[in-house]
Amino acid sequence: MKILCDRTALQEAVTVVSSVVPAKSTKPILMNLLLRADGEGITLFATDLEMAASVHLDSVKVSKPGVMLLPARETAALLRELSDPTVTLESMDQRCRIESGGGSFVLLGEDPEQYPAEAQVRSGKRIEIPAGRMLGMTQETVFAAAREETRYAINGVLMDAAAGCVRLVATDGRRLAISYENVDTKNEFKVVVPLRALTTLARALPENSKDPLAIEVGDKQIVFTTPRMKLVSQLLETRFPDYEGVLPKAADTTVEIQRAVLEGALRRASILCSAELRMVRFEVGDQSLRMTAESSTRGRADIVVDAVVRGAGGSINFNPDYILEALRQCHLDQVRLDMSDDSMPAKFTLGESFTYVVMPISGA
Amino acid sequence: MDAFYAAIEQRDRPELRGKPVIIGGSGPRQVVSTASYEARKFGVHSAMPGVRAKQLCPQGIFVVPRMEVYAAVSAQVRAVFDQFTDSVEPLSLDEAFLDVTGSRALFGDGATIAARIKREVKAATGLTVSVGVATSKYVAKVASDLRKPDGLVVVPPGQEREFLAPLPVSRLWGVGPTTQRQLEHAGLRGIADVQSRSEAQLVAAFGNSLGPHLFVLANGLDPREVESDRAARSIGHELTFARDLRDRDEVLGVLLQLAQQVGRRLRQANVRGTVVRLKLRYPDFTTFVRQRKVAPTADDLELHRTASELLDAAWDRRTGVRLLGVTAAGLVDESTPVQGGLFAPAVQKRDQLLKAMDRIRDRHGEGAVRHGVEARRSNPWGPDS
């Protein structure tokens, strides 16, 4: 096998595929990625047996077709460090010679025949959405998924397709993010996708792309396909909590505020939260929002900003980090907060199809 | 409390009064948990194998423990203590240290308070309690053991050494049969002998750990404060089984009872735990402790859920379980604000419910109100089948 290709394009492809490669494995062969060169270009493939990714590159000159295994980590690192715009890869037995500016290198691979083959997915329900939109929905939700050891650490995100709408929902039990997109299909499914599959997907999807992303849900697997890339992942069998039940239906008070103003105020206030309990108090006044924080050992913050207020007013306490993490994914100039009391979830509207629900801190 | 479990059985079952009552089973792997004073005359004592107790005292009446009743009585006793001071350190269901330093202006000196406590415990529960009054925890404990049952021993300040001097070294905390032999070998039979040595001599003879310990105790210098529930860093309960438990449901049943005892004490102390700790001991005495951080809680079922998850992660189920313990640590005041959960009932509502359950139990006994999950659990203290 011998190929000549654009180094940056190859590096990007290797990076995407490598994110599937496990850091450690009892099966050392899984530390490799598979490179196949044929008349249509090259395909990179890697799997950890739970998830598999493949990326296709066609702007490649294939002088000799073939298959080889490359050590994933070293290949990715090397491609990053080389200086020429192009790179040549040539295989001899199970070794791969890489020529580019900066030197010549030999990587020791393994027998490609021993590498697990791509699993055949039994066809399931299919929907299509623009790739850029899927990226946006993923970014708007994954941050809210639990990573620590809690009861809701399901390490997954719900994908709920129903009534011409596909929603991603992520929660850690204290806050919950929902992002949705209307789709032209009657297919319905409700599955929990591993967090890792979505973060890998997000890394592979271009921003603002209108290219279609096909999502196919089978019995135990989900497949994401773009013209260049395919990602297959096992689905989680975890039960996802009843998210629709916690969406507030009504609110006593509505506050509309500039996103940048809210974000700046919260960042300043959060500096002086107590270390044991990160808490900022929101007091809704007459067309204003006051945010205060206090640490018994370090000091206090008191910030008043303009806001459009409707309803009863009142006060409520939040963990500022929860709100700041969500605001980072918000592209609106103006955000809206619907709140009641500290026993009820509060709702932030952070985009046309991006809703965020946060449980307040009670008993303060 | 004097022969606490046995005394409760004799109180509740008049036919047992004046008879040798042994709480626990007489089966091959069961142990005596408490013996009535009548049974003690035969040499029966707690922690003794049931079989041995049966040999020593064939006419002994073996009674299956009713832990929930004992816990309810313990709560009544605790309520009496709480009237006299907010600094109460429970050691077990039937023993506690009270620091009444700050209560003397209200209630009189230590001896007066002790006498009142004895009267009020008797009035509330019909049971007798032995009290020791002293300037340190160790001396008070020794004093309380000296005239059981129904004793009251006061050691005035400054007379700690004289009080301890005539007692045997086995009265020193941490001196078991092995250490006792070690001490006797060095010519130390009574506490007076230990008092006659300087700290340096004791360190030279018994090392850097045991030496100072002996010196401090023998001279009545125990500096440890009473650690009340409120100030305690953790609240926990553990239980050793007469037979090793193998059945997961049975183990979970015990965990629930432990979680309830811990939850109850957290609520009594108006605190919540932020760390749940599980202790697990196998028959070969290997012991595991696993813990997890949780949102502040004093909720029996939350404690139980976390403890169960820790159990499932730690227990391979190939061996039986000899001991289980549940502890809540990282205690915070219950007025500390709490991050609410989207899918959990509001903490305050849950608090109200649990405290209402506590009040019902205080009045009508531990079994009067239960969590739904409890009903199907078997009694792990039941006799061997």
Side-chain angles (χ1 to χ4, degrees):
Chain A
M1 190 198 90
K2 187 173 181 184
I3 57 169
L4 170 71
C5 65
D6 180 82
R7 184 180 60 87
T8 316
L10 182 62
Q11 187 209 320
E12 281 173 6
V14 166
T15 306
V16 169
V17 173
S18 299
S19 56
V20 173
V21 175
K24 250 191 215 158
S25 174
T26 49
K27 295 186 176 154
I29 199 161
L30 295 180
M31 314 290 283
N32 293 288
L33 52 87
L34 186 95
L35 195 162
R36 182 187 303 278
D38 55 28
E40 288 163 18
I42 61 168
T43 305
L44 292 154
F45 172 75
T47 182
D48 65 357
L49 304 178
E50 285 180 357
M51 200 163 106
S54 63
V55 176
H56 183 76
L57 287 180
D58 47 16
S59 54
V60 178
K61 188 182 165 214
V62 178
S63 17
K64 208 195 289 176
V67 188
M68 65 178 159
L69 275 187
L70 295 167
R73 196 157 37 139
E74 289 74 13
T75 308
L78 195 56
L79 288 171
R80 227 179 357 256
E81 297 302 329
L82 294 175
S83 51
D84 270 12
T86 61
V87 58
T88 303
L89 279 74
E90 186 177 9
S91 73
M92 302 155 300
D93 298 329
Q94 287 170 20
R95 288 180 298 165
C96 173
R97 177 185 295 279
I98 297 182
E99 297 284 354
S100 183
S104 106
F105 307 87
V106 173
L107 294 175
L108 302 180
E110 288 183 61
D111 180 6
E113 293 292 312
Q114 303 300 318
Y115 197 74
E118 198 169 339
Q120 290 305 310
V121 180
R122 263 193 266 146
S123 64
K125 295 170 176 169
R126 188 184 152 97
I127 59 169
E128 251 182 37
I129 67 171
R133 200 43 213 131
M134 182 65 195
L135 174 62
M137 286 166 63
T138 303
Q139 288 168 339
E140 284 166 0
T141 49
V142 289
F143 71 89
R147 285 169 178 79
E148 47 186 313
E149 270 188 52
T150 68
R151 201 173 347 141
Y152 297 100
I154 54 179
N155 284 306
V157 173
L158 181 76
M159 185 177 263
D160 186 359
C165 173
V166 58
R167 291 186 227 199
L168 287 188
V169 187
T171 184
D172 65 0
R174 302 173 205 123
R175 37 63 183 278
L176 178 142
I178 301 183
S179 183
Y180 67 88
E181 177 73 12
N182 293 320
V183 286
D184 185 19
T185 176
K186 292 209 160 43
N187 277 334
E188 299 198 347
F189 54 81
K190 200 167 187 176
V191 294
V192 182
V193 185
L195 202 52
R196 206 163 67 90
L198 284 181
T199 50
T200 304
L201 178 70
R203 231 171 284 151
L205 293 177
E207 261 182 70
N208 301 320
S209 163
K210 295 267 193 290
D211 285 349
L213 170 78
I215 302 172
E216 200 167 327
V217 172
D219 234 10
K220 293 195 164 129
Q221 286 172 317
I222 187 166
V223 187
F224 301 95
T225 319
T226 68
R228 278 191 51 207
M229 180 220 62
K230 181 163 146 185
L231 184 77
V232 184
S233 170
Q234 300 287 330
L235 290 168
L236 293 174
E237 282 173 24
T238 339
R239 202 177 59 86
F240 200 85
D242 168 33
Y243 73 92
E244 280 162 302
V246 302
L247 300 178
K249 310 277 179 294
D252 297 345
T253 307
T254 296
V255 182
E256 281 180 42
I257 183 170
Q258 297 287 319
R259 175 183 54 79
V261 170
L262 177 62
E263 191 171 357
L266 274 177
R267 286 159 76 119
R268 276 169 263 144
S270 69
I271 295 168
L272 291 163
C273 286
S274 99
E276 301 81 53
L277 184 72
R278 310 258 307 149
M279 181 173 96
V280 170
R281 185 172 189 80
F282 281 47
E283 283 169 70
V284 179
D286 182 22
Q287 307 311 313
S288 71
L289 174 63
R290 180 175 181 199
M291 284 163 270
T292 53
E294 183 163 4
S295 153
S296 56
T297 52
R298 285 171 297 163
R300 326 184 254 284
D302 190 339
I303 303 154
V304 181
V305 298
D306 289 339
V308 179
V309 176
R310 269 164 298 159
S315 65
I316 193 166
N317 302 288
F318 291 113
N319 180 331
D321 302 328
Y322 289 171
I323 303 171
L324 285 168
E325 283 176 21
L327 288 176
R328 234 167 269 146
Q329 305 303 333
C330 169
H331 306 293
L332 295 183
D333 291 337
Q334 185 104 346
V335 300
R336 172 179 159 151
L337 162 63
D338 292 282
M339 57 176 249
S340 296
D341 60 37
D342 67 9
S343 69
M344 299 291 288
K347 182 172 88 176
F348 289 84
T349 306
L350 302 177
E352 273 173 41
S353 56
F354 176 17
T355 303
Y356 187 58
V357 177
V358 185
M359 197 66 197
I361 291 167
S362 63
Chain B
M1 302 299 296
D2 300 321
F4 186 50
Y5 300 173
I8 292 174
E9 296 301 339
Q10 289 177 323
R11 178 194 75 177
D12 294 353
R13 295 168 57 184
E15 74 274 17
L16 297 178
R17 289 177 197 163
K19 304 246 172 72
V21 175
I22 297 165
I23 308 297
S26 60
R29 299 214 46 197
Q30 292 176 300
V31 291
V32 175
S33 117
T34 310
S36 71
Y37 285 95
E38 295 83 358
R40 291 182 195 192
K41 286 183 190 140
F42 293 88
V44 177
H45 57 75
S46 56
M48 170 180 280
V51 177
R52 176 89 185 117
K54 185 89 188 164
Q55 286 167 355
L56 288 171
C57 182
Q59 64 272 56
I61 302 164
F62 287 80
V63 177
V64 174
R66 298 180 296 155
M67 292 309 295
E68 70 274 13
V69 175
Y70 310 153
V73 178
S74 174
Q76 289 177 303
V77 175
R78 170 64 192 257
V80 172
F81 295 165
D82 285 343
Q83 294 167 22
F84 292 95
T85 174
D86 60 1
S87 182
V88 179
E89 177 184 346
L91 283 185
S92 60
L93 280 181
D94 71 335
E95 269 183 305
F97 289 116
L98 282 71
D99 182 349
V100 296
T101 313
S103 315
R104 288 175 300 180
L106 275 173
F107 301 108
D109 65 11
T112 312
I113 293 174
R116 279 191 63 178
I117 286 175
K118 284 171 63 73
R119 268 206 309 279
E120 298 208 6
V121 167
K122 177 99 186 178
T125 66
L127 303 172
T128 61
V129 54
S130 293
V131 184
V133 183
T135 54
S136 72
K137 290 207 292 195
Y138 165 66
V139 178
K141 159 87 176 155
V142 172
S144 76
D145 287 337
L146 218 56
R147 303 239 197 291
K148 269 175 171 293
D150 206 16
L152 169 56
V153 174
V154 180
V155 182
Q159 295 181 28
E160 294 83 4
R161 291 191 76 209
E162 286 172 60
F163 166 75
L164 293 171
L167 301 173
V169 288
S170 58
R171 285 282 185 176
L172 294 169
W173 267 347
V175 176
T178 314
T179 316
Q180 191 177 347
R181 269 196 302 279
Q182 215 182 329
L183 291 174
E184 283 172 5
H185 191 73
L188 308 179
R189 293 186 171 275
I191 293 181
D193 299 327
V194 183
Q195 288 172 348
S196 69
R197 306 290 172 89
S198 71
E199 187 170 9
Q201 285 172 317
L202 290 170
V203 169
F206 303 104
N208 277 324
S209 157
L210 185 58
H213 174 76
L214 292 173
F215 179 79
V216 163
L217 289 190
N219 290 288
L221 302 173
D222 179 19
R224 291 164 312 148
E225 297 281 333
V226 171
E227 273 191 31
S228 71
D229 287 11
R230 200 178 278 273
R233 285 173 310 239
S234 66
I235 288 178
H237 280 280
E238 58 182 51
L239 203 54
T240 305
F241 309 113
R243 62 187 169 87
D244 302 330
L245 301 192
R246 293 179 175 274
D247 180 57
R248 180 169 174 274
D249 277 350
E250 214 174 11
V251 173
L252 291 183
V254 178
L255 275 190
L256 180 61
Q257 304 200 26
L258 290 169
Q260 285 177 331
Q261 292 177 17
V262 172
R264 183 86 177 264
R265 275 181 57 202
L266 289 169
R267 296 190 292 277
Q268 274 173 357
N270 300 314
V271 295
R272 294 193 176 108
T274 61
V275 172
V276 176
R277 198 176 288 152
L278 173 81
K279 183 168 167 188
L280 186 61
R281 178 170 292 156
Y282 294 126
D284 66 357
F285 277 85
T286 49
T287 305
F288 292 89
V289 176
R290 295 280 182 276
Q291 64 177 42
R292 182 182 296 172
K293 232 176 130 51
V294 295
T297 186
D299 184 334
D300 306 345
L301 296 185
E302 278 293 331
L303 297 168
H304 178 240
R305 185 192 346 263
T306 307
S308 310
E309 287 170 5
L310 291 169
L311 175 84
D312 284 336
W315 183 30
D316 61 14
R317 317 233 334 237
R318 281 195 293 258
T319 40
V321 174
R322 181 189 164 83
L323 172 151
L324 279 174
V326 174
T327 297
L331 304 187
V332 296
D333 200 273
E334 70 177 1
S335 64
T336 310
V338 180
Q339 168 66 53
L342 286 167
F343 308 102
V347 184
Q348 282 76 11
K349 289 210 173 123
R350 217 25 226 166
D351 273 3
Q352 285 168 15
L353 172 67
L354 288 165
K355 288 199 170 177
M357 287 174 75
D358 287 345
R359 285 192 294 276
I360 294 171
R361 288 179 183 137
D362 286 343
R363 191 172 301 171
H364 302 291
E366 288 303 294
V369 49
R370 293 165 183 250
H371 296 292
V373 290
E374 265 176 277
R376 59 194 164 80
R377 303 282 185 217
S378 62
N379 178 4
W381 293 281
D384 268 345
S385 49

